[in-house]
């Protein structure tokens, strides 16, 4: 069994205001904690991993095929692998939540530097 506490991890700033921390994982999936600051944007991207998630604090607006979906506290979501999607924090508070990826995903490097 793998046990990982968020207090033991350092997050990676994958994009301006978007902080990710990989947590526990197995051969078929892993958990990633995220914090997205007010005004931060996750540009449209896709990946082969199936992605499900849960919002703990704040509201996150997902954009998929031009349609917007607002997810708030206690909401969950699912994104099929290879589906292009973006996300924006249009609110005044930091969005906190978790994503689960299958197969496991490494921390993405979205920055060009």
């Amino acid at each position: 069994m793998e046990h990982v506490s968020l207090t033991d991890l350092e997050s990676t700033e994958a994009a301006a205001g978007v902080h990710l921390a990989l947590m526990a994982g197995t051969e078929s999936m892993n958990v990633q904690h995220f914090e997205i600051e007010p005004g931060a944007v996750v540009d449209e991207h896709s990946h082969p991993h199936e992605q499900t998630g849960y919002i703990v604090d704040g509201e996150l607006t997902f954009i998929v095929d031009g349609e917007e979906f607002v997810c708030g506290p206690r909401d969950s979501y699912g994104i099929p692998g290879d589906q292009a999607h973006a996300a924006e924090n249009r609110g005044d508070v930091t969005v906190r939540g978790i994503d689960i990826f299958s197969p496991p995903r490494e921390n993405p490097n979205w920055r060009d530097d």
Side-chain angles (χ1 to χ4, degrees), residues 54-70:
Y54 181 82
I55 304 294
V56 176
D57 296 311
E59 285 189 350
L60 192 59
T61 301
F62 288 92
I63 302 98
V64 180
D65 293 330
E67 189 173 353
E68 294 186 359
F69 303 88
V70 178

Side-chain angles (χ1 to χ4, degrees), residues 27-108:
E27 288 185 28
S28 61
M29 69 183 76
N30 68 344
V31 175
Q32 177 178 266
H33 181 268
F34 63 83
E35 293 186 356
I36 303 176
E37 297 173 10
V41 173
V42 176
D43 290 330
E44 185 174 79
H45 65 285
S46 65
H47 42 76
H49 315 80
E50 293 182 333
Q51 177 179 353
T52 61
Y54 181 82
I55 304 294
V56 176
D57 296 311
E59 285 189 350
L60 192 59
T61 301
F62 288 92
I63 302 98
V64 180
D65 293 330
E67 189 173 353
E68 294 186 359
F69 303 88
V70 178
C71 294
R74 301 170 63 171
D75 288 346
S76 63
Y77 51 88
I79 303 169
D82 295 319
Q83 183 172 48
H85 55 284
E88 301 177 2
N89 181 350
R90 298 176 180 170
D92 298 334
V93 299
T94 298
V95 177
R96 290 178 177 82
I98 61 165
D99 279 324
I100 299 170
F101 293 99
S102 179
R105 183 177 185 197
E106 302 276 333
N107 265 335

